[in-house]
Amino acid sequence: MKNRLRFLLLSLALAIVLACAPLGAPPIYTLAPDQIASIVAATANVAATQTAAAQPVVSDTPTPFFTRTPFPSPTPSATFLFFTPTQPLTPTETPLPLPTAWPDWTTGDIVTFPKGSGENIGVTRFFRILQNVKVVVTRLNGVKLRPIPNKALGGKSMAAYGEILTLTGYWNRNPDFDWAFVKVIAADGKQYWVGGDEGSEIDPQRCLRFYTPETLTPSPTETATITPIVFRTLTPSPTSTP
């Protein structure tokens, strides 16, 4: 009895296994390489089409940032450049009016020259109104040009009558000797002192005059006396004849 039951169970299990098993082995298909590429390309095209269809439709046309407008090529022509020279702007002081008389000596600014120059003799004052003013020598015998304001030193160079000098603005007075000197620039471009005894013919206020285009007038302390020379024509006296 037990053997028959085991046989039935085994037969039932075998029937179930046979019922689930496929009737035959499936056929194996093989494709050529070009066919596989065609299938992949078709699948990609379909996927791209579906993707594009899924995107939202854009109705606005984007505006480009810039547009290039064609321009005609210019015709070459000669170019002329004109240069106008200009002078650089330099600050200049307002020129002072030409003095007509010597200023009061006490109104000048006291100055001191470098030590060892020999020019610190007496008292020297600076006058802005006299700086760069032209003067002319009116002393008939001319004036001596000295290296320092000292009557006892130098004076080998001379400025002749009618020579034009340029004042530097320095005016020296020495009360110990009653001397007066002014510093000038001579025709050679060098600086000298001109002067001597105050009130005399070599005092700067008497031997120098402010330059004007007018005719020079000699210093009143010196006058030249010119004696005219008369030429006579001798006429021979008549002689008597015998």
Side-chain angles (χ1 to χ4, degrees):
M1 185 70 180
K2 293 181 180 180
N3 293 332
R4 294 180 66 182
L5 181 59
R6 292 180 178 175
F7 179 77
L8 289 174
L9 293 174
L10 182 60
S11 298
L12 181 60
L14 180 61
I16 294 172
V17 170
L18 293 176
C20 294
L23 296 179
I28 301 174
Y29 298 96
T30 60
L31 298 176
D34 56 347
Q35 293 178 342
I36 296 175
S38 299
I39 293 172
V40 172
T43 304
N45 290 335
V46 172
T49 302
Q50 293 177 352
T51 302
Q55 296 295 329
V57 179
V58 180
S59 59
D60 296 336
T61 303
T63 303
F65 291 97
F66 62 91
T67 57
R68 295 183 179 180
T69 304
F71 292 93
S73 300
T75 303
S77 59
T79 302
F80 299 92
L81 301 178
F82 298 92
F83 297 93
T84 303
T86 56
Q87 296 294 336
L89 298 178
T90 54
T92 57
E93 296 182 358
T94 304
L96 297 176
L98 182 67
T100 57
W102 293 87
D104 184 358
W105 187 79
T106 60
T107 61
D109 298 324
I110 297 178
V111 296
T112 302
F113 287 93
K115 294 182 179 180
S117 64
E119 296 179 288
N120 290 321
I121 302 175
V123 179
T124 302
R125 293 179 180 267
F126 176 76
F127 298 83
R128 174 70 178 86
I129 194 174
L130 297 179
Q131 187 179 25
N132 298 325
V133 173
K134 303 292 184 181
V135 292
V136 61
V137 178
T138 58
R139 185 171 183 264
L140 292 178
N141 294 334
V143 293
K144 293 183 178 181
L145 303 176
R146 305 178 188 275
I148 61 175
N150 189 333
K151 182 182 175 182
L153 184 63
K156 295 181 180 180
S157 300
M158 295 286 295
Y161 168 77
E163 186 172 339
I164 297 176
L165 306 174
T166 303
L167 297 176
T168 60
Y170 296 105
W171 187 355
N172 175 276
R173 294 181 68 179
N174 192 332
D176 295 336
F177 301 96
D178 293 330
W179 290 345
F181 290 88
V182 291
K183 197 170 189 179
V184 301
I185 301 175
D188 59 2
K190 298 180 180 181
Q191 296 186 8
Y192 301 94
W193 291 92
V194 172
D197 298 329
E198 287 192 86
S200 69
E201 61 185 25
I202 57 176
D203 187 327
Q205 298 184 74
R206 302 190 66 181
C207 65
L208 302 177
R209 295 290 184 271
F210 297 112
Y211 174 75
T212 58
E214 300 175 358
T215 305
L216 297 178
T217 302
S219 173
T221 58
E222 293 188 34
T223 57
T225 302
I226 300 177
T227 303
I229 301 176
V230 179
F231 296 91
R232 297 180 180 178
T233 303
L234 299 178
T235 302
S237 59
T239 58
S240 58
T241 56

